[in-house]
Amino acid sequence: VNSQRGDGQAAIGAPSPDALLPALDERQVATLSQVGHEWDRVSGDPRTWRYVLPVDPDLGSYDAAQFRPTRFGRFVPVAGLGRQPSAVEATSEAETPPSRPGHLGYRLRRALLGPPLAATAIAAERMRKLVALPVLSADALSSVAYGPEAMLAILVLGGSAGIGYSLPVSAGIVFLMFSVCVSYRQTIRAYPHGGGSYIVATDNLGRVPGLIAAAGLMTDYIMTVAVSVASGVAAITSAIPSFTPAVVPIGAGVIVVLLAGNLRGVRQAGALFAAPTYAFIVAIFALVTTGLIDADGRGFHPAPTPRLAATGAVSTLLVLRAFSSGATAMTGIEAVSNAVPAFKPVEWRNARATLTWLVALLITMFASIIALVHLDGVVPNGKETVLSQLAHRSFGSGPMYVYTQAATAAVLLLAANTAYNDFPRVLFLLARSYHAPRLFLRIGDRLAFSNGIIALSVISAAIYVTFGGNTLSLIPLYAVGVFLAFTMSQAGMVVHWWRHRDPHWRKSLTFNATGGVLSTIVFITAGITKFTAGAWVAVLVIGLLVLTALRIRRHYDLVAEAIALHPDAIEIPASAPLTPGSGTTAAPRRQEADGHEAAAPSQDGEQPEQEENPTVIQHLAIVPLAGINLPGMRALAYAASLRHPVLALHISPTEDEANRFRGYWHTWGDHLPLEVIVSPHRAVVAPLVNYIVALHHQRPGLTLTVILPEIVVHHWWQRILHSQTAPRLRRALRPLPKIVVTSIPFHLPR
Amino acid sequence: VNSQRGDGQAAIGAPSPDALLPALDERQVATLSQVGHEWDRVSGDPRTWRYVLPVDPDLGSYDAAQFRPTRFGRFVPVAGLGRQPSAVEATSEAETPPSRPGHLGYRLRRALLGPPLAATAIAAERMRKLVALPVLSADALSSVAYGPEAMLAILVLGGSAGIGYSLPVSAGIVFLMFSVCVSYRQTIRAYPHGGGSYIVATDNLGRVPGLIAAAGLMTDYIMTVAVSVASGVAAITSAIPSFTPAVVPIGAGVIVVLLAGNLRGVRQAGALFAAPTYAFIVAIFALVTTGLIDADGRGFHPAPTPRLAATGAVSTLLVLRAFSSGATAMTGIEAVSNAVPAFKPVEWRNARATLTWLVALLITMFASIIALVHLDGVVPNGKETVLSQLAHRSFGSGPMYVYTQAATAAVLLLAANTAYNDFPRVLFLLARSYHAPRLFLRIGDRLAFSNGIIALSVISAAIYVTFGGNTLSLIPLYAVGVFLAFTMSQAGMVVHWWRHRDPHWRKSLTFNATGGVLSTIVFITAGITKFTAGAWVAVLVIGLLVLTALRIRRHYDLVAEAIALHPDAIEIPASAPLTPGSGTTAAPRRQEADGHEAAAPSQDGEQPEQEENPTVIQHLAIVPLAGINLPGMRALAYAASLRHPVLALHISPTEDEANRFRGYWHTWGDHLPLEVIVSPHRAVVAPLVNYIVALHHQRPGLTLTVILPEIVVHHWWQRILHSQTAPRLRRALRPLPKIVVTSIPFHLPR
């Protein structure tokens, strides 16, 4: 089953909207051809009559101008292309829904999202390095706004002695950043088509490690949105404390803006986001420079920290917790290696250069902020962010302070965009390998993975609201997923180098192994030291995601197996009746049913669904009637015009009512057989279903077509004025074999 | 249109589940017969082939024992009755739904509600007077628990001087009760089949006054539930103040209990409710007797009222407001006249006697409570009900106090049951005259109007919760509806006597006129004096209900007109082709379409839905295919087996994909014409719809049957794993003319 869907290929390569039509393997092609031969046995040459269509299917000679707005809304035709006689292409207006409110909604959508883009536009939307750097680094660089603070917030629990550990812990983090950068440089070289953790882990370690990496990444992206938004809102409330009570609505509003922006399309959103990232870089460097000049003025003597009461001893555990909290400053580093195909050619070279720049900036900013914190003697407090305190010291409360806070808020609020780039991509890859619902494959008409974007927004908004928008309570959930994905990715790369032995493979393997060991240490540290603080949630979610993905894959495998053309499923028994017109000459069958001779395999209850050959299908049309009226007569006429046997059904509450109906039937002329079911319990759907099931049991070989007259109303509120018998019946009949439901619409005049 | 549905008859007479099949008028019968003749013209004698069914529709010889539980759930067959050769009766188990959770739900429902009752059981469920009195009087009698308090709560605003008006205002209310009783005695005599305000007003004043009365009654019943529950919960919290914070959940719970009890069936609920009413009557008389003995002990000198600060002057307006608030003590009097047919024969005599008893009890209890309030010097306060204060004075806090409070709570909580009897009945009558959705006609399997009961519960619970369960803030919404209905009813009776001139008509007319004038005065007083306090809501709701009812009736009239068999709608043009087998000989039609000769009326775009004659229906089956698989092959086989022209459609994202599909099609043998639509915008549903619409415009005379392969999953969660193309396509095609949708189910193996 795996091979027939090109599984190996699906795991590698750029996301593509194509190849949605599963390829048939040899066995299936042989079966298809064999099925075709069976069809040839249909009496007469089918080409003589089934090809003679009463319409011209090409619509080539069709006059498009004839389509003016009709009462069903504005229909724009599928225009004939002329390229190929039998090709018809849907124009962009083909998306226009027919109903009026739907049409308004469509206009609104186009106004918000812009015109739809054709699939061929996807290659044109590539990024230059100067655009890619801010787009892909927003997440990583903005992490310095909360990473140092998260580290200090743990160390401060150990009082002044704890704060003293900030420099060595930071040095560890900087070393980690450097190693991970070197690691990912190897990955980019090895995976020029995009080396996300999922792809690397699946490729080198196998399916389950790949899913673990994907689950880690997904929690990472969700937390990135929640933490970035929380931290960005904190930058705002640090500057304007009166906004503090509105933290939750402000953050939720930001997520909605991100949602809308990303539905417009990934790359366009990227260009929009270049400005705040550069503004933030400028702000941090100005802040640090000013701070260092001030410190120079006092001879680089650290300012005294406020006297701190230690609430706990300075233990190894505390230092490790601080390390794993501070390590959140490096989240987002992996964004570049995921997005290699989005760079302009040569993709991997540009990506590598961008990654190096990114990490250099990150290390510089992180280290100088820690240095300044040390020099200025700043400690975290619940009311104002550390960055805001530093800015106050460097700039006072003037315009530069406001600029710094605004740039921090902007870059943080927009950093979440990196997650919006990558979360839907992971879901797409999972969906392409049948580990996530197929709806995540669907690319919106702005070439964005709309469903993944919507899913990310909903989940991260829920988490943000649940935690009340508090950055520090979100942090413990954060590190686990990132470093699990890092670990899987680096481990995969080690295996890759070992297997491939490219030039310089030993050096690359060493770099990746170092990065992998460090990532593993951080992952285990984070998982253990913060388990009770919230990491257990992340671990649980990752586990559930992996199980769900495996379950989904199993379902798709079963479906693929079930619907595939394999010889067993469509074998046609040699003894099957091949006489023509089995529908119109049903008389002999009647005798068969009465005489209990129905032993032919096609009528066997054990295999009731082997009905792929038109010659063995025998029809009985069933028309349930509520009364003698136009919709009912229309359904009867439709049934009779099919030229197969027809049975009309009517449900009456009493015998008197039944006789009245029979009287009307007789007036009409008794043209079709009628059965009246008396249902004194006033139920309608259940007796019909039971009767139809009884008919099926009587003749399991028969295909029963239930022809339902349905009144179609114009407004939704009118629907509650009509009994929903038809939809209820359709729902009740769905699980039953060999029962086909046909709806005959009856449109009320306006 | 009106006459054909027996409108006049519908307004009178007991509710009946029968007569759901609309009667055909002469014109329709003639049309039906004419249609039959057209069918006779179908080539060959249809009896020879359409009567020869491949099944035995009677299922008479069918072995019921064969139905063991299958994988589709437990199916119980419709058992042949043997009474009549072609009659089949649904057994009670026919209601059993096939799915497993549905089956559990069914069991639970049966356990809660009891076994279903047959329609014939309805006559047996009649009430004796001693049962009818408590059932129908619970509402009216329990009103004395809040009526006097509502009056005093207004008068107390005028301080001690205001309280002094309590005796004259009460005298007015007692006179009103007496007049209304006399009025309704006339109504019962004139309307022995049930003389609710709606029926009387419709009958004598016309449609809109009837609807106004019905709307008034409906708001009345909703408020009865809300006020009774609020007041009953107040009786509990007066005794146990610690329950005060839980007022809203307690009340909501009570409404749920009422809902469940009433879904079990009206009459059974009645028997259950006899005890509390009698207990309440006993409690009030014990209370009053003890109180009077005490008062006798102090020589009937009124106890001093607490010093009251007047918050306003004692104005005429204040007295009128107190009067209209106190008049809520008579809500529920009309219940007897509505329920005449529920009495044992002779119905109207028993009903009249019950009404007299009821009002006598009501006046006695109301008057003696007011007298006791006066003697004991009790004034309303926000914490304890007046009745609870009186009980404390008479009985202290001993068992008799507890008994009084318990009985009061019980009768109030159950008083709402009168509304549960009558609200669904009003809705039923409205639905029967096509002024309310038909779903309110449906009698549940316990012979209760389930939908009306559910609607009442939902609306009154919403109002109860909105007003926080506060009786006094609910009162202003209350009186308006009741007295509007009283007014309409009495005015209708005046017209009735004037028209019919029965024996004693002058006396009856005088009584009804007096009642009518008094009701009008109360209605206007209540509407004006409490307009800003909440009466405007009631007025607005009544207005909206009337407008909605008229709108609904207009819709049903349009539908009835549209679906009726009138000669215009089904006229078959003399020039219509009557050649047999138009479906299988489509070749000549092709020429017709190409040569633009399609001028026959049956193919005219202006009248696209005249398709009641099987000979003029021409078919084209369209099979949209997602890929080459078993469900698709099955849909193709089904389509081909219908022996009409078939066209297969496929949507491809690119031209390459399209060619791949064409290749598979060719491997299969090109048995059917195929059209591949290239949709670079990745949309699937819209291009299909537009293509199908284009085909329809090309040949409007053609009936297009869209045959959709649909994968049926076993669990709801699996549904999100599959693209919902089929349902989305069905929804999009619904509003289009001459397009029939057929679903071919494909069941996944378990």
Side-chain angles (χ1 to χ4, degrees):
Chain A
V1 175
N2 291 9
S3 64
Q4 85 194 42
R5 294 203 303 241
D7 213 37
Q9 178 214 334
I12 322 172
S16 140
D18 305 342
L20 294 177
L21 177 67
L24 301 187
D25 63 14
E26 278 173 27
R27 194 177 50 124
Q28 286 176 303
V29 171
T31 310
L32 184 62
S33 165
Q34 185 203 330
V35 173
H37 288 306
E38 294 293 339
W39 279 60
D40 279 342
R41 296 167 66 191
V42 174
S43 70
D45 185 358
R47 287 175 186 82
T48 57
W49 59 270
R50 274 195 293 253
Y51 258 113
V52 183
L53 289 178
V55 291
D56 171 16
D58 279 352
L59 296 172
S61 61
Y62 192 75
D63 181 12
Q66 224 178 297
F67 281 111
R68 32 177 208 287
T70 68
R71 63 183 181 120
F72 301 106
R74 192 168 68 104
F75 282 119
V76 178
V78 278
L81 282 187
R83 287 207 306 246
Q84 197 170 343
S86 64
V88 174
E89 184 158 349
T91 62
S92 70
E93 286 88 350
E95 189 67 61
T96 316
S99 71
R100 202 157 13 142
H103 187 60
L104 277 175
Y106 176 82
R107 286 256 173 114
L108 188 70
R109 220 170 115 203
R110 285 283 79 84
L112 278 173
L113 304 185
L117 301 172
T120 43
I122 208 162
E125 301 253 330
R126 296 294 190 91
M127 290 190 287
R128 296 187 303 139
K129 270 184 286 183
L130 278 179
V131 172
L133 180 65
V135 170
L136 298 174
S137 69
D139 181 11
L141 295 187
S142 68
S143 304
V144 300
Y146 51 82
E149 177 152 12
M151 179 186 78
L152 292 169
I154 302 292
L155 287 178
V156 89
L157 299 175
S160 300
I163 289 290
Y165 280 88
S166 63
L167 291 185
V169 170
S170 301
I173 291 170
V174 166
F175 180 66
L176 188 64
M177 285 174 179
F178 178 75
S179 320
V180 169
C181 171
V182 174
S183 285
Y184 269 115
R185 281 174 61 90
Q186 316 309 316
T187 309
I188 289 172
R189 180 160 67 93
Y191 283 88
H193 298 299
S197 305
Y198 170 63
I199 289 173
V200 174
T202 306
D203 226 23
N204 297 296
L205 303 177
R207 199 152 73 102
V208 172
L211 291 177
I212 291 170
L217 279 181
M218 281 161 69
T219 59
D220 175 29
Y221 296 137
I222 292 165
M223 292 312 299
T224 297
V225 174
V227 169
S228 298
V229 171
S231 186
V233 174
I236 296 173
T237 55
S238 291
I240 315 169
S242 62
F243 280 6
T244 309
V247 159
V248 172
I250 292 175
V254 169
I255 293 176
V256 170
V257 170
L258 284 170
L259 168 66
N262 276 281
L263 287 179
R264 273 194 81 97
V266 178
R267 253 58 73 185
Q268 260 202 346
L272 176 74
F273 292 173
T277 309
Y278 283 125
F280 178 68
I281 295 172
V282 169
I284 294 296
F285 279 106
L287 172 70
V288 169
T289 311
T290 318
L292 288 180
I293 290 168
D294 288 356
D296 184 36
R298 359 177 254 274
F300 286 105
H301 287 296
T305 48
R307 208 55 268 149
L308 289 166
T311 54
V314 182
S315 60
T316 315
L317 183 70
L318 190 82
V319 173
L320 287 176
R321 274 174 69 197
F323 177 70
S324 64
S325 283
T328 56
M330 54 186 296
T331 53
I333 280 187
E334 81 288 0
V336 177
S337 71
N338 293 341
V340 180
F343 280 86
K344 282 197 187 292
V346 178
E347 290 86 353
W348 73 270
R349 270 189 203 285
N350 287 330
R352 243 176 128 155
T354 307
L355 176 65
T356 310
W357 267 102
L358 189 162
V359 177
L361 276 171
L362 177 63
I363 289 177
T364 313
M365 286 161 74
F366 180 81
S368 41
I369 285 174
I370 290 292
L372 209 57
V373 165
H374 185 69
L375 289 171
D376 285 359
V378 164
V379 291
N381 67 52
K383 291 182 210 109
E384 194 180 358
T385 62
V386 166
L387 216 55
S388 168
Q389 293 184 51
L390 290 180
H392 267 308
R393 301 216 177 199
S394 291
F395 304 134
S397 296
M400 271 310 286
Y401 170 77
V402 172
Y403 168 75
T404 307
Q405 287 306 104
T408 309
V411 81
L412 277 165
L413 299 182
L414 300 176
N417 189 58
T418 316
Y420 274 94
N421 279 347
D422 288 329
F423 182 87
R425 199 184 294 259
V426 171
L427 265 178
F428 173 89
L429 293 172
L430 285 178
R432 203 172 54 171
S433 62
Y434 296 86
H435 287 107
R438 304 291 282 169
L439 58 94
F440 292 114
L441 281 184
R442 208 182 298 155
I443 299 186
D445 35 35
R446 294 289 300 175
L447 300 181
F449 296 109
S450 318
N451 289 320
I453 287 169
I454 293 166
L456 175 63
S457 303
V458 170
I459 301 170
S460 54
I463 288 176
Y464 178 84
V465 170
T466 307
F467 283 81
N470 184 339
T471 313
L472 291 181
S473 38
L474 287 165
I475 289 284
L477 280 76
Y478 198 4
V480 179
V482 199
F483 285 96
L484 181 57
F486 281 0
T487 302
M488 289 294 162
S489 170
Q490 306 310 330
M493 286 312 297
V494 170
V495 173
H496 173 89
W497 298 122
W498 184 255
R499 282 196 194 144
H500 286 69
R501 317 231 167 166
D502 296 343
H504 314 299
W505 68 271
R506 283 172 210 279
K507 196 183 69 182
S508 296
L509 192 150
T510 314
F511 286 149
N512 281 127
T514 313
V517 168
L518 287 172
S519 300
T520 312
I521 291 170
V522 180
F523 165 64
I524 293 172
T525 309
I528 292 173
T529 59
K530 297 182 184 168
F531 192 79
T532 51
W536 67 271
V537 177
V539 171
L540 187 73
V541 167
I542 290 169
L544 286 178
L545 282 174
V546 171
L547 288 180
T548 307
L550 289 171
R551 187 85 194 266
I552 287 173
R553 170 66 187 246
R554 212 177 68 201
H555 175 78
Y556 280 128
D557 281 348
L558 286 174
V559 171
E561 182 67 34
I563 71 172
L565 296 178
H566 46 95
D568 299 347
I570 58 158
E571 196 175 32
I572 295 145
S575 64
L578 289 169
T579 49
S582 55
T584 51
T585 58
R589 308 242 159 266
R590 169 67 179 258
Q591 181 207 345
E592 202 177 85
D594 290 350
H596 296 287
E597 294 172 42
S602 71
Q603 295 170 9
D604 190 344
E606 293 299 301
Q607 299 180 328
E609 298 206 46
Q610 292 195 358
E611 43 196 282
E612 284 73 34
N613 188 309
T615 56
V616 300
I617 296 177
Q618 261 189 285
H619 289 281
L620 172 62
I622 296 170
V623 186
L625 293 172
I628 300 284
N629 50 36
L630 223 46
M633 294 310 292
R634 189 167 291 178
L636 288 175
Y638 180 90
S641 73
L642 293 176
R643 316 263 152 187
H644 295 285
V646 178
L647 173 63
L649 290 182
H650 178 70
I651 303 275
S652 270
T654 64
E655 197 52 53
D656 290 349
E657 286 286 299
N659 284 330
R660 258 179 74 206
F661 193 87
R662 289 192 194 98
Y664 291 140
W665 200 254
H666 189 70
T667 306
W668 175 55
D670 283 324
H671 288 285
L672 294 170
L674 167 73
E675 193 64 38
V676 182
I677 302 168
V678 176
S679 170
H681 298 285
R682 297 160 303 273
V684 171
V685 173
L688 278 176
V689 171
N690 284 305
Y691 184 87
I692 292 165
V693 168
L695 286 186
H696 169 71
H697 279 261
Q698 203 186 38
R699 281 291 305 275
L702 222 53
T703 296
L704 303 176
T705 300
V706 181
I707 296 177
L708 296 172
E710 269 192 84
I711 290 180
V712 179
V713 294
H714 295 296
H715 304 289
W716 64 266
W717 63 267
Q718 293 170 338
R719 215 173 296 167
I720 59 163
L721 301 180
H722 295 272
S723 72
Q724 295 300 304
T725 309
R728 281 160 63 210
L729 201 53
R730 194 186 299 125
R731 230 173 294 134
L733 292 174
R734 264 176 81 86
L736 306 177
K738 300 201 87 165
I739 294 174
V740 169
V741 177
T742 296
S743 303
I744 311 284
F746 182 89
H747 301 98
L748 295 178
R750 266 178 198 264
Chain B
V1 175
N2 291 9
S3 64
Q4 86 195 38
R5 294 204 303 239
D7 210 38
Q9 178 215 331
I12 323 172
S16 141
D18 303 346
L20 294 177
L21 177 66
L24 302 186
D25 62 15
E26 278 172 27
R27 195 177 50 123
Q28 286 176 305
V29 171
T31 309
L32 183 62
S33 166
Q34 186 204 330
V35 174
H37 289 306
E38 293 291 340
W39 280 61
D40 279 341
R41 296 167 66 192
V42 174
S43 70
D45 186 358
R47 286 175 189 81
T48 56
W49 59 270
R50 275 193 294 253
Y51 258 114
V52 183
L53 287 177
V55 292
D56 172 15
D58 279 353
L59 297 172
S61 61
Y62 192 75
D63 182 11
Q66 225 178 293
F67 281 109
R68 32 180 207 286
T70 68
R71 65 185 179 120
F72 301 107
R74 194 167 66 106
F75 282 118
V76 177
V78 280
L81 283 185
R83 287 206 308 244
Q84 196 169 342
S86 64
V88 174
E89 185 158 349
T91 62
S92 69
E93 286 89 349
E95 189 67 61
T96 316
S99 72
R100 201 160 10 146
H103 186 59
L104 278 175
Y106 177 82
R107 285 255 173 112
L108 187 72
R109 217 170 119 205
R110 285 283 80 83
L112 278 173
L113 305 184
L117 302 171
T120 44
I122 208 163
E125 302 253 331
R126 296 293 188 94
M127 291 189 286
R128 296 186 304 138
K129 268 183 289 183
L130 278 178
V131 173
L133 180 64
V135 169
L136 298 175
S137 70
D139 181 11
L141 294 186
S142 68
S143 304
V144 300
Y146 51 82
E149 177 153 13
M151 179 185 78
L152 293 169
I154 301 292
L155 287 177
V156 89
L157 299 177
S160 300
I163 289 289
Y165 279 89
S166 65
L167 291 185
V169 170
S170 302
I173 292 171
V174 166
F175 179 65
L176 186 66
M177 287 173 176
F178 178 76
S179 317
V180 169
C181 171
V182 174
S183 283
Y184 269 114
R185 282 176 60 89
Q186 316 308 317
T187 308
I188 290 171
R189 180 159 68 91
Y191 283 90
H193 298 299
S197 304
Y198 171 62
I199 289 173
V200 173
T202 306
D203 226 22
N204 297 295
L205 303 176
R207 200 153 72 102
V208 173
L211 291 179
I212 292 171
L217 280 179
M218 281 161 68
T219 58
D220 175 28
Y221 295 137
I222 292 165
M223 293 311 299
T224 297
V225 174
V227 169
S228 298
V229 170
S231 187
V233 174
I236 296 172
T237 54
S238 292
I240 316 169
S242 62
F243 280 7
T244 308
V247 158
V248 171
I250 293 175
V254 169
I255 293 176
V256 170
V257 171
L258 284 170
L259 168 66
N262 276 280
L263 287 179
R264 272 195 81 95
V266 179
R267 253 57 75 183
Q268 262 201 349
L272 175 74
F273 291 172
T277 310
Y278 283 125
F280 178 68
I281 296 172
V282 168
I284 293 296
F285 279 105
L287 171 71
V288 168
T289 311
T290 318
L292 290 180
I293 289 168
D294 287 353
D296 186 34
R298 12 174 243 275
F300 286 106
H301 286 296
T305 48
R307 204 63 263 150
L308 290 168
T311 55
V314 183
S315 60
T316 316
L317 182 72
L318 190 84
V319 172
L320 286 176
R321 275 175 67 196
F323 177 71
S324 63
S325 283
T328 57
M330 56 188 294
T331 54
I333 280 187
E334 80 288 358
V336 177
S337 71
N338 294 341
V340 180
F343 280 85
K344 284 198 186 290
V346 181
E347 290 87 354
W348 71 271
R349 269 188 206 284
N350 286 330
R352 242 176 127 153
T354 305
L355 175 66
T356 310
W357 266 100
L358 189 164
V359 177
L361 276 169
L362 176 64
I363 289 179
T364 312
M365 286 161 73
F366 180 80
S368 40
I369 284 173
I370 290 292
L372 209 57
V373 164
H374 186 69
L375 289 171
D376 284 359
V378 165
V379 290
N381 67 52
K383 291 182 210 109
E384 195 182 357
T385 63
V386 166
L387 216 57
S388 169
Q389 293 185 51
L390 290 179
H392 266 309
R393 303 219 174 195
S394 292
F395 302 134
S397 296
M400 270 309 285
Y401 170 78
V402 173
Y403 168 75
T404 306
Q405 287 306 104
T408 307
V411 79
L412 275 165
L413 299 181
L414 299 176
N417 190 56
T418 315
Y420 273 95
N421 279 348
D422 288 328
F423 181 86
R425 200 184 293 260
V426 171
L427 265 178
F428 172 90
L429 293 172
L430 284 179
R432 203 170 55 172
S433 62
Y434 296 87
H435 287 106
R438 303 291 284 168
L439 59 95
F440 293 114
L441 281 182
R442 208 183 297 157
I443 298 186
D445 37 33
R446 294 291 298 175
L447 301 181
F449 295 109
S450 318
N451 290 320
I453 288 169
I454 292 165
L456 176 62
S457 303
V458 170
I459 300 170
S460 53
I463 288 178
Y464 178 85
V465 171
T466 306
F467 284 81
N470 183 340
T471 313
L472 291 181
S473 39
L474 287 165
I475 290 283
L477 279 76
Y478 199 4
V480 178
V482 200
F483 284 97
L484 181 57
F486 281 0
T487 303
M488 288 295 161
S489 170
Q490 305 309 330
M493 286 312 296
V494 170
V495 173
H496 173 90
W497 298 123
W498 183 255
R499 282 194 191 144
H500 286 69
R501 317 234 167 164
D502 298 344
H504 315 297
W505 69 271
R506 281 172 212 278
K507 198 181 69 184
S508 297
L509 190 151
T510 313
F511 287 150
N512 279 128
T514 312
V517 169
L518 288 172
S519 300
T520 310
I521 290 170
V522 180
F523 164 64
I524 292 172
T525 310
I528 292 173
T529 60
K530 296 182 186 167
F531 191 79
T532 52
W536 67 271
V537 178
V539 171
L540 186 72
V541 167
I542 291 170
L544 286 178
L545 282 175
V546 171
L547 287 179
T548 307
L550 289 172
R551 187 84 193 266
I552 288 173
R553 170 65 186 246
R554 210 179 71 201
H555 175 77
Y556 281 128
D557 282 348
L558 285 174
V559 172
E561 182 66 30
I563 71 171
L565 297 177
H566 46 93
D568 299 345
I570 56 157
E571 195 175 33
I572 294 143
S575 65
L578 288 169
T579 49
S582 54
T584 51
T585 58
R589 308 240 160 266
R590 168 69 178 257
Q591 181 206 347
E592 205 177 83
D594 290 349
H596 296 288
E597 295 171 44
S602 70
Q603 294 172 5
D604 189 341
E606 294 298 301
Q607 298 180 329
E609 298 207 47
Q610 292 196 359
E611 43 195 282
E612 284 72 36
N613 189 309
T615 57
V616 299
I617 296 177
Q618 260 190 284
H619 289 281
L620 171 62
I622 296 169
V623 185
L625 293 173
I628 300 283
N629 52 34
L630 224 46
M633 295 309 292
R634 190 165 293 178
L636 287 176
Y638 180 91
S641 72
L642 293 176
R643 315 262 151 190
H644 294 285
V646 178
L647 172 62
L649 289 182
H650 178 69
I651 303 276
S652 270
T654 63
E655 197 54 49
D656 290 349
E657 286 285 300
N659 285 330
R660 257 178 75 207
F661 193 86
R662 289 192 196 99
Y664 291 140
W665 199 254
H666 189 69
T667 306
W668 175 56
D670 283 326
H671 289 285
L672 295 170
L674 165 72
E675 191 65 37
V676 182
I677 301 169
V678 176
S679 170
H681 297 284
R682 299 159 302 271
V684 171
V685 172
L688 280 176
V689 172
N690 283 306
Y691 184 86
I692 292 165
V693 168
L695 286 186
H696 168 71
H697 280 262
Q698 204 185 38
R699 281 290 307 273
L702 221 52
T703 296
L704 303 176
T705 300
V706 180
I707 297 178
L708 296 172
E710 270 192 82
I711 290 181
V712 179
V713 295
H714 294 297
H715 305 289
W716 65 266
W717 64 265
Q718 293 169 338
R719 215 172 298 164
I720 59 163
L721 300 183
H722 296 273
S723 72
Q724 296 300 303
T725 309
R728 282 161 63 210
L729 201 52
R730 195 188 297 124
R731 230 173 295 133
L733 292 173
R734 265 175 80 86
L736 307 176
K738 301 201 84 166
I739 293 174
V740 168
V741 177
T742 295
S743 304
I744 311 284
F746 182 89
H747 301 99
L748 294 178
R750 265 175 202 272

